[in-house]
Amino acid sequence: MTGAGGAPDGFPVTMREIASEAGVHPSTVSRALRRARSGLPPASQRESNILQITERLGYTPDPTASSLRGGQSRAIGVLVPRLTDTVLATIYDSIESAAHRAGYEAFVANSNDDPDLQARRLQLLLSRRVDGIILGDARRDQDLSAVARTTHLVLVSRGHPDLPSATCDDFRGGWLAGDHLARLGHTTFAVVAGPPWAQTSFDRTTGFRAALAEHGLRLRTEDVYEVGFDTESGRTAGDRMLARRTPPTAVFAMNDHSAIGVMGALRAKGLRPGTDVAVVGFNDIPIAAELPIPLTSVRSPLQRMAEEAADMLLRLMSGGSAASVKLEPTLNVRASSDPTVDPVVDG
Amino acid sequence: MTGAGGAPDGFPVTMREIASEAGVHPSTVSRALRRARSGLPPASQRESNILQITERLGYTPDPTASSLRGGQSRAIGVLVPRLTDTVLATIYDSIESAAHRAGYEAFVANSNDDPDLQARRLQLLLSRRVDGIILGDARRDQDLSAVARTTHLVLVSRGHPDLPSATCDDFRGGWLAGDHLARLGHTTFAVVAGPPWAQTSFDRTTGFRAALAEHGLRLRTEDVYEVGFDTESGRTAGDRMLARRTPPTAVFAMNDHSAIGVMGALRAKGLRPGTDVAVVGFNDIPIAAELPIPLTSVRSPLQRMAEEAADMLLRLMSGGSAASVKLEPTLNVRASSDPTVDPVVDG
DNA sequence: CTGAAAGCGCTTACAG
DNA sequence: CTGAAAGCGCTTACAG
């Protein structure tokens, strides 16, 4: 039975083999396993025998076959704009864990924040017969009603008025950043925003602007750099704002990675974050606190957000309903905006 | 047909519907589509008609059904220790792209660097009938021959003597770091290593030690901190090494994230990376160059590594053979080890 | 080139 | 409780 050409010979055990080993009909095996999965005790001598054989032969049912016949896949799909973004990776990770705890499998797909790709990946997930989808890359202007009619759909991170979502209160997050910087006495600002279709970016900017307004300050359109969420975006925006006649003294970036990009731009110009230009990021990823100049950041509860989204989807899939939740962000002030905190020691 | 209970009514178009619409037998549809996928032109009037209908109805074949019958899934599985690590996320991302270009689907699973979980996730991927697997979390002591007998298997990032792998020349990477630090005149070192089962960590440490030896220097066992690859690991190791009677003046961390953790530990003690203690990281992720004190890092060609792994697997799956490749790392010297480079400006 | 049949591995009514 | 049958959506020899 060993292949000659070096090709591996996969011999997955099938239900039929279990059945013949136990001297029963395959359907009896199917029933025994179903009972066992539900946590019920074996209904007969035979059943416990079947379970033993299953164990011994290391049998696991073919999920594609069961979903083809049974209609349910016990799998959910997750669509993210970018898996290389720590934030999204963290969210997916937590969703995956929550799904596993509930006995579901999870699949991720990457949309690269591109509507065409998004549609295709969505199609892919649906063709894999997932029982529901968590969308992490919804677009503000997008009509998702068709998708929502096809499968159970929950949004995470980026909300949408028509659909249930688990998000951070991004307006509040932006407000916290704006209020903080205004209180420090800054009067000229820049915002390193994500793409215009991201609800997160929109709300954070709006909240930031609102906070400034409360202090009688204004954020001009040209002070908002719609670039993206990664390090390079931050660097680009930073270079551009510093090339201006009156550069800002305070910068709010919507992602810690882009905030670090801004720090890089400052350093290149001989400026120091915190003392020369205040920098505030968003999400408070683990490295933020450990940077040579620790980064002030709005912390969003990513794991809870992910768990809420997973819970909502599980509820929908079992016939229940789900209402959107908005989680409270908190501001962690560090030396990048306030040098009196975590002071940097000069050697 | 609209569901009453709010449950979505999914009505995926099936091949049968295409067939009846076109007035042909389902098998004819199957053949027409197969030809089209191979890039061949329609073999008849009928076939072009079938393709039109397929297009119009937005039909995509059910991959689970085709793999069940056809034996091939045109999908590959990728197992990573941790998706929240930028390095692995980047690798997966590139593998996914390469797979798509070749007409394959990709699935990731997370093993959390835990052997039990790894076995279960591997089982899951196999039960999904993937045509091959790329393993990113191989363990040094592990016997993977059973898996290799079951499916086509290629390793990425972490190599193994018995299996084809795409890796960075980690010994060389460690050597570059060691040589660099020794040339700068350092004599006391610390290594922030990953877990002992990671071949990457082992080789980098060995290479580092070899470079020191060439300079007549020694790395003691207690100078190697086997902690992990994340920020927190670096912070922990950093705190511990600084609590010693004679702290090191040069630190080599096997991951940029853990290097940043070390920087955090330095800052907490009032020490500055580069001037007080040299810090070198590994992988050279995008933020490394933008940090307030830019991080010296050994760059490993992650994307190429991923593409090589994907190519190797594709070759194996089409009956060919694959030899391991080791990619050359390069050292990017920055201010965290050499303050004369990228000097930090004090405001 | 096309149709009809068989079957991939499983599950679910239907009888007994 | 258990067996036998039908079928999920597809593909692949087999005839014609």
Side-chain angles (χ1 to χ4, degrees):
Chain A
M1 272 298 174
T2 34
D9 26 41
F11 19 49
V13 185
T14 73
M15 206 156 88
R16 206 188 342 224
E17 300 175 48
I18 306 288
S20 80
E21 188 89 355
V24 298
H25 194 269
S27 59
T28 308
V29 177
S30 179
R31 278 185 227 105
L33 292 178
R34 191 229 290 248
R35 195 150 331 180
R37 267 197 302 272
S38 319
L40 293 160
S44 63
Q45 282 277 55
R46 259 178 164 158
E47 286 208 355
S48 28
N49 185 228
I50 289 170
L51 296 182
Q52 273 185 21
I53 296 173
T54 300
E55 190 74 20
R56 178 159 54 78
L57 269 56
Y59 168 75
T60 46
D62 183 331
T64 65
S66 6
S67 79
L68 183 58
R69 179 56 239 254
Q72 290 226 328
S73 63
R74 289 201 77 80
I76 65 169
V78 183
L79 200 53
V80 298
R82 203 161 277 104
L83 217 40
T84 48
D85 181 338
T86 320
V87 174
L88 278 314
T90 304
I91 289 176
Y92 173 67
D93 222 60
S94 302
I95 291 177
E96 193 190 55
S97 303
H100 286 166
R101 281 196 297 275
Y104 277 78
E105 221 42 70
F107 296 137
V108 230
N110 243 307
S111 76
N112 217 16
D113 233 341
D114 166 353
D116 284 355
L117 243 187
Q118 187 198 45
R120 269 184 299 181
R121 316 307 281 134
L122 219 37
Q123 190 57 47
L124 169 79
L125 291 173
L126 291 173
S127 77
R128 291 271 165 203
R129 302 286 180 267
V130 293
D131 295 336
I133 286 183
I134 296 180
L135 209 67
D137 66 340
R139 303 167 76 90
R140 258 156 51 71
D141 52 353
Q142 194 171 23
D143 181 10
L144 289 164
S145 53
V147 185
R149 240 175 285 123
T150 309
T151 189
H152 295 289
L153 186 63
V154 166
L155 309 188
V156 72
S157 178
R158 302 183 187 167
H160 193 284
D162 307 339
L163 289 163
S165 61
T167 60
C168 171
D169 187 339
D170 289 303
F171 179 94
R172 171 80 182 153
W175 189 93
L176 288 171
D179 184 63
H180 169 62
L181 291 171
R183 281 181 196 280
L184 287 171
H186 292 282
T187 54
T188 55
F189 305 90
V191 168
V192 181
W197 59 77
Q199 187 69 47
T200 44
S201 183
F202 184 86
D203 289 346
R204 290 170 195 172
T205 305
T206 310
F208 187 78
R209 183 174 273 125
L212 297 193
E214 291 181 22
H215 290 270
L217 297 165
R218 247 190 97 220
L219 184 71
R220 296 165 307 171
T221 315
E222 63 262 40
D223 296 329
V224 179
Y225 296 77
E226 283 183 344
V227 280
F229 294 117
D230 59 359
T231 307
E232 203 193 331
S233 297
R235 176 65 195 247
T236 306
D239 286 341
R240 275 164 53 197
M241 66 183 72
L242 294 177
R244 293 229 172 144
R245 333 101 227 144
T246 42
T249 63
V251 183
F252 174 41
M254 314 235 139
N255 187 294
D256 291 339
H257 286 115
S258 61
I260 291 172
V262 171
M263 285 176 149
L266 292 176
R267 200 206 61 252
K269 280 273 180 299
L271 297 169
R272 150 170 273 176
T275 43
D276 296 321
V277 176
V279 179
V280 175
F282 210 104
N283 288 318
D284 199 20
I285 60 176
I287 52 169
E290 306 295 346
L291 298 179
I293 298 175
L295 177 65
T296 297
S297 188
V298 179
R299 165 165 295 209
S300 57
L302 298 180
Q303 338 234 9
R304 268 191 55 217
M305 196 190 295
E307 281 161 15
E308 290 283 358
D311 282 355
M312 287 164 68
L313 185 60
L314 290 167
R315 250 177 282 140
L316 284 180
M317 292 190 304
S318 55
S321 63
S324 294
V325 295
K326 238 181 205 174
L327 302 173
E328 194 68 8
T330 51
L331 180 71
N332 285 320
V333 177
R334 304 201 181 93
S336 75
S337 66
D338 185 350
T340 65
V341 184
D342 258 332
V344 178
V345 184
D346 289 314
Chain B
M1 269 299 175
T2 34
D9 27 39
F11 19 48
V13 185
T14 73
M15 205 156 89
R16 196 171 11 204
E17 301 174 49
I18 307 288
S20 80
E21 188 88 357
V24 298
H25 194 269
S27 59
T28 308
V29 176
S30 180
R31 278 185 228 105
L33 292 178
R34 190 229 289 248
R35 195 151 329 180
R37 267 197 302 273
S38 316
L40 294 159
S44 62
Q45 282 278 54
R46 261 180 164 155
E47 286 208 357
S48 26
N49 185 228
I50 289 169
L51 296 182
Q52 273 185 19
I53 295 173
T54 300
E55 190 75 18
R56 177 157 54 79
L57 270 57
Y59 168 75
T60 45
D62 182 332
T64 65
S66 7
S67 80
L68 183 58
R69 178 56 237 254
Q72 290 225 329
S73 64
R74 290 201 76 79
I76 66 169
V78 183
L79 201 54
V80 298
R82 205 161 275 104
L83 218 40
T84 48
D85 181 338
T86 320
V87 174
L88 278 313
T90 304
I91 289 176
Y92 173 67
D93 221 60
S94 302
I95 290 177
E96 193 191 56
S97 303
H100 285 167
R101 281 195 297 274
Y104 277 78
E105 221 42 68
F107 296 137
V108 231
N110 242 307
S111 77
N112 216 19
D113 232 341
D114 166 354
D116 284 355
L117 242 188
Q118 187 199 46
R120 269 183 299 179
R121 314 310 279 135
L122 219 37
Q123 190 58 47
L124 169 78
L125 290 173
L126 291 172
S127 77
R128 290 274 164 200
R129 301 286 181 267
V130 293
D131 295 336
I133 286 183
I134 296 181
L135 208 67
D137 66 341
R139 302 167 77 88
R140 258 155 52 69
D141 52 353
Q142 193 171 25
D143 181 11
L144 288 164
S145 53
V147 185
R149 241 176 285 123
T150 309
T151 189
H152 294 290
L153 186 62
V154 165
L155 308 188
V156 72
S157 176
R158 301 183 187 168
H160 193 285
D162 307 338
L163 288 165
S165 61
T167 59
C168 171
D169 187 339
D170 289 303
F171 179 94
R172 170 79 183 156
W175 189 93
L176 288 171
D179 184 64
H180 170 62
L181 292 171
R183 281 182 197 281
L184 288 172
H186 292 282
T187 55
T188 55
F189 304 90
V191 167
V192 181
W197 58 77
Q199 188 68 46
T200 44
S201 183
F202 184 86
D203 289 346
R204 290 170 196 171
T205 305
T206 310
F208 187 79
R209 184 175 272 125
L212 297 193
E214 290 181 23
H215 291 270
L217 298 165
R218 246 191 97 220
L219 184 72
R220 297 165 307 172
T221 315
E222 64 261 41
D223 296 329
V224 179
Y225 296 78
E226 282 182 346
V227 280
F229 294 116
D230 59 359
T231 307
E232 202 192 333
S233 298
R235 175 66 195 245
T236 306
D239 286 341
R240 275 164 52 196
M241 66 182 73
L242 294 177
R244 292 228 170 145
R245 334 101 224 140
T246 43
T249 64
V251 183
F252 173 40
M254 308 228 147
N255 187 293
D256 291 337
H257 286 116
S258 61
I260 291 172
V262 171
M263 285 176 150
L266 292 175
R267 200 205 61 250
K269 280 273 181 302
L271 298 168
R272 150 171 272 177
T275 42
D276 296 321
V277 176
V279 180
V280 176
F282 210 103
N283 288 317
D284 199 21
I285 60 176
I287 51 170
E290 307 294 345
L291 297 179
I293 298 175
L295 177 64
T296 297
S297 188
V298 179
R299 164 165 296 209
S300 57
L302 298 179
Q303 338 235 7
R304 268 191 56 216
M305 195 190 295
E307 280 160 16
E308 290 282 358
D311 281 356
M312 288 164 68
L313 184 60
L314 291 167
R315 248 177 284 142
L316 284 181
M317 292 190 305
S318 54
S321 64
S324 294
V325 294
K326 239 180 205 173
L327 302 174
E328 194 69 7
T330 51
L331 180 71
N332 285 320
V333 177
R334 304 201 180 92
S336 75
S337 67
D338 184 350
T340 65
V341 184
D342 260 330
V344 178
V345 184
D346 288 314

